[in-house]
Structures are given as C-alpha cells and as structure tokens.
Amino acid sequence: MACSCSAPEPKTPSPGFRRALWIALWVNLTMFLVEGFASLQSGSVSLMADAIDFFGDSANYLLSLSVLSMGMVWRGRAAMVKGATMTVFGLAVLGRAIWVAQSGTTPEAITMGAVGFLALAANVAVAWILFRYRSGDSDMRSVWLCSRNDAIGNVAVMVAALGVLGTGTAWPDLFVAAIIGSLAVTSGISVIRHARSDISEARLAEHPQH
C-alpha cells in the first residue's frame, strides 16, 4: 500500500521523562524489598505477586532509561521486551495462585493490609509523576501502564486483606492474585501490539514508499 512521502515527526520523549523514570526506578526497588520481606512474613500470594511486579517494573524502568536517547525502532524493541516480561509475569502469578490454592495456606491479613497501603501510596505518587507521559510512544506507554497496574494491584491487595480477615480463608488473597496476573497479561499484550506499530511506523519513516 502506498503511503505519504513525508516522514512523520520523530517521537522524542520530554527531558522530564528521564527524571521521572529515575524516581520511579528507586521507588520500585525500595518497595520490592519491603513487599518481598512482608510477603514471606505473611504468606500472601497477592503481596508476593505485587513484590515481584515491583522488581519487574524496576528492570523495565532501567531498560527504558538505557534506550531513551535511541531511535524509535530501539525504543519499540525495548517495549516489546517489557510487554513480554509483563505477560510472563502474569502467567507465573496465575500458576502460583493455583499451586497455593491446593496447599490451603491462609495468609496474615494485617500485614497484607498495612504493606498494601504503603505500596499504594508509593505507586500513586509514581503514577502521578508519569501521568503526563502516558500518550507517548509504546515505551512511554508501557511505563505508564506499569505504574497504573501497580496502583490497581495495591488497592486489590488491601481488599484481599479485608477478605482474608473476614473469612479466615486464603480465597480472597488468591482471587486478587489472579486479578493481578490477568491484568499483567492483558497489559503486556497491549504493549506488544503498540510496540509493533511503533516499529513499523519508524521503519516506514526510514524507508518511505512512493
């Protein structure tokens, strides 16, 4: 199919985006350590899933920083890697929830709720900082989706804590873990699709057809 001979304007991230990424990176690394320890103490699958998500997001932010000054093709490839990582993470959480459901272990609700609230405060702050960049290229969008998903996941963890406290069973925790896993899978697929579109657009710009 023929297209316009004029190449689209390159999508250059705002200078403030790099600073926002560094803030997001350190916040996520800190919360990974906090939630990881708390998940071991409480036995919560949803808290563990959120901790692993924090670690994955930290790696994703570092990857974004490494390709920020590169062309759109490389930023699109970085987004592809992050989308695949999000999808694999989601599938792993779903598998873990199924395994724990068979063991019958009940998590400690108070720790879940307290740490979930702390994580929510951290993620809302990061999401607010990144909100203005949500409509950029696929790499920028993937960063925004990571923060948005984390905030949603934190609210869900607190709801799960109330459910565990009220029912005395692990099912609320497992249900929320399944939601977090499913959200990661669908977001990962969305990022991959956006990244493929960005890469195709960049390649057409480099080699326009008449």
Side-chain angles (χ1 to χ4, degrees), residues 184-200:
V185 171
T186 56
S187 295
I189 293 173
S190 173
V191 168
I192 290 173
R193 288 175 176 171
H194 194 167
R196 292 177 62 182
S197 174
D198 280 350
I199 292 172
S200 296

Side-chain angles (χ1 to χ4, degrees), residues 97 112-113 180 203:
M112 286 177 60
I180 294 175
R203 286 175 173 167

Side-chain angles (χ1 to χ4, degrees), residues 33 90 160:
L33 296 175

Side-chain angles (χ1 to χ4, degrees), residues 19-72:
R19 182 170 60 252
L21 280 178
W22 277 113
I23 294 173
L25 171 62
W26 287 112
V27 169
N28 275 263
L29 277 176
T30 300
M31 288 309 305
F32 161 67
L33 296 175
V34 172
E35 274 201 319
F37 179 77
S39 67
L40 294 176
Q41 294 297 310
S42 66
S44 168
V45 180
S46 61
L47 208 56
M48 181 200 70
D50 209 38
I52 295 174
D53 193 30
F54 269 120
F55 179 77
D57 287 350
S58 299
N60 287 338
Y61 295 141
L62 187 60
L63 182 60
S64 289
L65 284 164
S66 68
V67 300
L68 200 58
S69 60
M70 298 183 182
M72 190 64 251

